[in-house]
Amino acid sequence: MPPDNHVHTEWSWDTAVGSMEGSCARAVELGLPSIAFTEHVDHTSWYLARSGPYANENHLAMADENLLLTPPPLDVDGYLDSVDRCRTLFPGLRILTGVELGQPHWHAAECAAMLGPGSFERVLGSQHCLPHESGFAEPWLLYPLREPASVMRDYLAEVVRLVNSDAAFEVLAHIDYAVRSWPLETFDPEDFEEEFRYALRATARSGRALEVSTRIPMHATILRWWREEGGGAISFGSDAHQPELVAHGFREAADLADANGFRRGRSPADLWIR
């Protein structure tokens, strides 16, 4: 089993049922070599839906009267204390500190201040939002307002801007994030081959690793394109927000990675490389 390098706990602002201790226990149960707690750090405010499949009561409670959500900051001291406690409770499990930086190329100063003390061992960069009117919105809100293909292309174009930036992160998280809310019956990455390849090529040239996210299974074609475009490393991430989802789908993801020529690094906790 590969390490799970993308897990959220009670320290992430959006995780109502997370548990760092419970996630560690699940990792030990599964025999994972390590787990990284990459809590959300978001400096972008974005609009929510009041109703529908993507309405979230916990998020709505944090939003203002215009449904604008401004995520609260990460309690770094509390988070690090929790990591230390879990390292004592689970001495056989390697536990990495980490953060998932949302749109870090839009918030360079804030992200630099967060990373400055060197407290985080695994840093992910994520693209969750796109510009919308005078603010920002996630893809699921934009799909009903625009032609879905244009939203997907805009999303992948913003990924290119993210990886071409100087933002300090080593792993591009869930390049297929916009696929999660794809509004049509099926999604075929071949319809966006040029855009995916361009984003993957830019990521490879930046020297960053690509996350194989199992929140929804990554399409095998995308990982093949990553290899063909020169990608040298991958990271596995469940994006779990509750303990029972840690390493969900990892056996299938590891088989997919193996079929594309990726192998464990020198240490079982390392990123997989070609």
Side-chain angles (χ1 to χ4, degrees):
M1 291 282 280
D4 195 338
N5 286 312
H6 189 162
V7 177
H8 299 283
T9 73
E10 66 270 27
W11 298 99
S12 272
W13 64 265
D14 69 333
T15 309
V17 292
S19 167
M20 187 177 290
E21 185 174 336
S23 295
C24 289
R26 179 60 173 162
V28 170
E29 178 186 353
L30 294 171
L32 297 189
S34 75
I35 189 170
F37 293 116
T38 52
E39 314 297 1
H40 282 293
V41 173
D42 291 296
H43 299 98
T44 307
S45 299
W46 63 87
Y47 291 103
L48 302 178
R50 190 180 301 279
S51 60
Y54 297 101
N56 183 301
E57 292 302 322
N58 292 322
H59 295 180
L60 286 168
M62 302 180 196
D64 66 14
E65 64 276 9
N66 297 314
L67 300 184
L68 184 67
L69 171 67
T70 300
L74 174 66
D75 177 359
V76 176
D77 291 338
Y79 162 79
L80 293 175
D81 286 346
S82 184
V83 170
D84 287 342
R85 182 174 61 83
C86 284
R87 285 172 172 167
T88 300
L89 291 172
F90 302 93
L93 176 66
R94 185 177 179 190
I95 302 173
L96 301 183
T97 59
V99 285
E100 180 183 1
L101 302 176
Q103 299 77 235
H105 60 314
W106 295 351
H107 308 282
E110 296 91 337
C111 290
M114 169 66 68
L115 299 178
S119 302
F120 303 106
E121 299 163 287
R122 184 72 77 224
V123 181
L124 313 180
S126 296
Q127 190 66 39
H128 294 120
C129 302
L130 291 173
H132 172 58
E133 296 179 350
S134 59
F136 302 93
E138 293 212 31
W140 54 261
L141 190 146
L142 298 175
Y143 281 132
L145 305 176
R146 293 165 46 190
E147 203 273 320
S150 72
V151 176
M152 181 62 64
R153 291 190 174 96
D154 285 350
Y155 178 82
L156 292 170
E158 195 60 47
V159 167
V160 172
R161 287 187 278 272
L162 169 62
V163 298
N164 281 341
S165 74
D166 294 330
F169 65 94
E170 62 175 330
V171 178
L172 172 64
H174 46 56
I175 193 174
D176 51 359
Y177 183 78
V179 180
R180 294 182 185 180
S181 52
W182 183 246
L184 305 181
E185 186 173 350
T186 60
F187 178 81
D188 186 353
E190 299 278 356
D191 294 337
F192 305 94
E193 179 175 0
E194 180 180 352
E195 292 83 1
F196 266 111
R197 281 188 178 273
Y198 185 43
L200 292 166
R201 187 161 59 250
T203 305
R205 288 176 176 173
S206 76
R208 296 181 173 94
L210 179 74
E211 179 182 271
V212 177
S213 177
T214 61
R215 179 73 172 265
I216 60 170
M218 173 177 275
H219 200 289
T221 300
I222 297 176
L223 189 56
R224 174 171 60 83
W225 289 340
W226 172 242
R227 183 194 71 220
E228 293 174 353
E229 295 298 337
I234 58 173
S235 177
F236 297 86
S238 66
D239 203 356
H241 286 63
Q242 53 200 74
E244 56 267 32
L245 294 180
V246 167
H248 173 74
F250 267 33
R251 294 198 184 279
E252 295 81 0
D255 288 343
L256 177 63
D258 183 76
N260 280 277
F262 291 92
R263 303 288 185 270
R264 290 186 182 89
R266 294 178 180 177
S267 163
D270 288 347
L271 302 180
W272 281 32
I273 57 176
R274 292 173 60 187

